[in-house]
Every structure is written in C-alpha cells, then in structure tokens.
Amino acid sequence: STQSTWGLLKGLLVSLVLLYIILVIQFGSFVQPLVMMLSVPLQLVGVFGALLLFNHTLSTVSILGIVILSGVSLSAAILLLELILAKRKEGVPRAIAIREAGPVRLKAIVMTTFTTLIVIVRLAFFPEPGPCTLR
C-alpha cells in the first residue's frame, strides 16, 4: 500500500539522519560526514534515471534498493575518508593522501560492494510485483 511505501521513505530519512549523527561523533566534525552524505542525492539521480530508462515505477522493492545503495556508498566513503584522514595526520599533503588512499582501499570497497550485490541480486533483477507501487 501507499502507506507502507511512505513508511519506508520516512525510515530512509530517519536512518540517514541517525547515520549522520553517528558519523559526526565518530569523526568529530560536522563537515566530513556531510561530504560523505552528499553521495546520497547524487545516487538518487542515477536511481530515478534507471527507473525511467527501464520503465519501472517507484515501488517498495526500489525503495529497499535505495536504502541498500545508500549503505554501500556510505560505507565506501567511510573507508576512503578514514584512511585519508589517517594519512593527513601523518603529515601527508591532501592531494597525495587522496591519491594513495584510493588504491589501498579499493580492495575493501570492492569486496564490500560485491558481497552486498551477491546478497541482493535476486531482489534487484527479479522483483516480484506487489500492491505497494507508486505511480
């Protein structure tokens, strides 16, 4: 139903706010978690573009996919930023720290993303239509 779809959207918003608060506590800064959270609106552009491209509607399944995608992208951002900040504390210049962090964290990011994709592949490629579809 539409009520459960809106409930999922509210849940996504609440989870993002709580995640931001946790990241502020973890990193001790308001700016760095905000930079990580900026990936969420960018991924929504891709999600809605893909929904339009494949002529799908926003449904409960696609909202669950958005929640999962948000988690994957934010975990990748956390992995990268954590190493960049560690290198900056060692006195490495910002550009070099960013360049060095990418290849080092690539394996962890790919493994995390690949594991998540394996778990949700059925949900992503074989969605079952249900009554909870917004048009």
Side-chain angles (χ1 to χ4, degrees):
S1 73
T2 306
Q3 185 179 11
S4 64
T5 304
W6 288 114
L8 278 173
L9 289 173
K10 288 177 189 175
L12 174 64
L13 183 64
V14 168
S15 68
L16 289 175
V17 169
L18 290 175
L19 184 63
Y20 178 75
I21 292 169
I22 291 169
L23 290 173
V24 165
I25 293 168
Q26 180 182 354
F27 287 103
S29 167
F30 289 101
V31 176
Q32 292 159 344
L34 189 61
V35 169
M36 287 185 267
M37 300 294 280
L38 285 176
S39 67
V40 175
L42 294 175
Q43 74 190 15
L44 289 178
V45 172
V47 166
F48 289 118
L51 286 174
L52 286 172
L53 181 67
F54 292 107
N55 199 24
H56 287 279
T57 58
L58 183 65
S59 64
T60 307
V61 174
S62 56
I63 293 172
L64 285 172
I66 291 170
V67 171
I68 293 167
L69 180 63
S70 299
V72 169
S73 68
L74 288 173
S75 69
I78 291 168
L79 285 171
L80 272 176
L81 190 62
E82 189 175 37
L83 184 59
I84 291 170
L85 292 175
K87 288 189 174 290
R88 293 283 288 147
K89 284 183 181 176
E90 294 171 1
V92 177
R94 182 176 26 171
I96 295 173
I98 292 170
R99 246 182 285 147
E100 289 178 357
V104 170
R105 290 293 194 206
L106 180 63
K107 182 178 178 182
I109 291 170
V110 169
M111 288 174 59
T112 304
T113 304
F114 190 64
T115 304
T116 305
L117 288 176
I118 288 173
V119 172
I120 65 164
V121 73
R122 183 178 181 280
L123 180 66
F125 291 110
F126 305 107
E128 296 177 11
C132 301
T133 304
L134 284 179
R135 294 205 186 263

